[in-house]
Amino acid sequence: QVRLVESGGGLVQAGGSLRLSCAASGRTFSRYTMGWFRQAPGKEREFVAVISWNGGEVGYADSVKGRFTISRDNAKNTVYLQMNSLKPEDTAVYYCAGDSSRYSRSPRSYDYWGQGTQVTVSS
């Protein structure tokens, strides 16, 4: 069992930066692929970024590539999402999620989810 808690969201102007953190409980965190997803009002949850269990493989949605960076610190049971050059269209609730069995960009693959943190980018 893994419990995930996101933090770091907030209100920022376009062009600004935020760093999201996702703290995980449970000794098996280091075995999990971790992903970040987001959901804007009236839209489906969408993939943002993914990182393999050891950080050796990462992937990004085209919409955030070059602006967002995913990383993890297994000693601290934490995964991060550094978001730079934020745009109003990045406004959403951001969720971290853990996948125990595969490296995937599909939210349906993930076993554990945090409660989400709101990111609002003003123009």
Side-chain angles (χ1 to χ4, degrees):
Q1 189 79 11
V2 175
R3 181 171 178 263
L4 304 174
V5 179
E6 303 95 336
S7 61
L11 173 64
V12 64
Q13 288 189 330
S17 298
L18 283 174
R19 189 194 197 201
L20 305 184
S21 298
C22 173
S25 64
R27 291 177 290 177
T28 58
F29 169 80
S30 62
R31 303 177 190 173
Y32 283 64
T33 290
M34 297 299 296
W36 285 98
F37 296 81
R38 67 187 182 186
Q39 189 166 17
K43 295 188 177 181
E44 292 188 355
R45 191 167 298 189
E46 66 174 1
F47 165 76
V48 175
V50 60
I51 187 167
S52 62
W53 68 275
N54 63 352
E57 189 171 0
V58 297
Y60 298 96
D62 288 343
S63 59
V64 308
K65 199 173 296 183
R67 300 188 297 121
F68 291 10
T69 303
I70 189 171
S71 62
R72 68 189 297 163
D73 185 338
N74 285 344
K76 295 183 178 180
N77 277 13
T78 303
V79 62
Y80 305 97
L81 186 69
Q82 178 66 44
M83 306 187 296
N84 299 329
S85 303
L86 283 161
K87 304 175 181 180
E89 51 263 44
D90 294 318
T91 295
V93 177
Y94 282 71
Y95 299 88
C96 71
D99 188 330
S100 61
S101 59
R102 61 181 64 88
Y103 178 86
S104 173
R105 298 184 176 212
S106 171
R108 290 186 295 275
S109 176
Y110 286 74
D111 307 292
Y112 302 104
W113 291 84
Q115 83 289 347
T117 186
Q118 176 71 47
V119 171
T120 303
V121 184
S122 63
S123 57

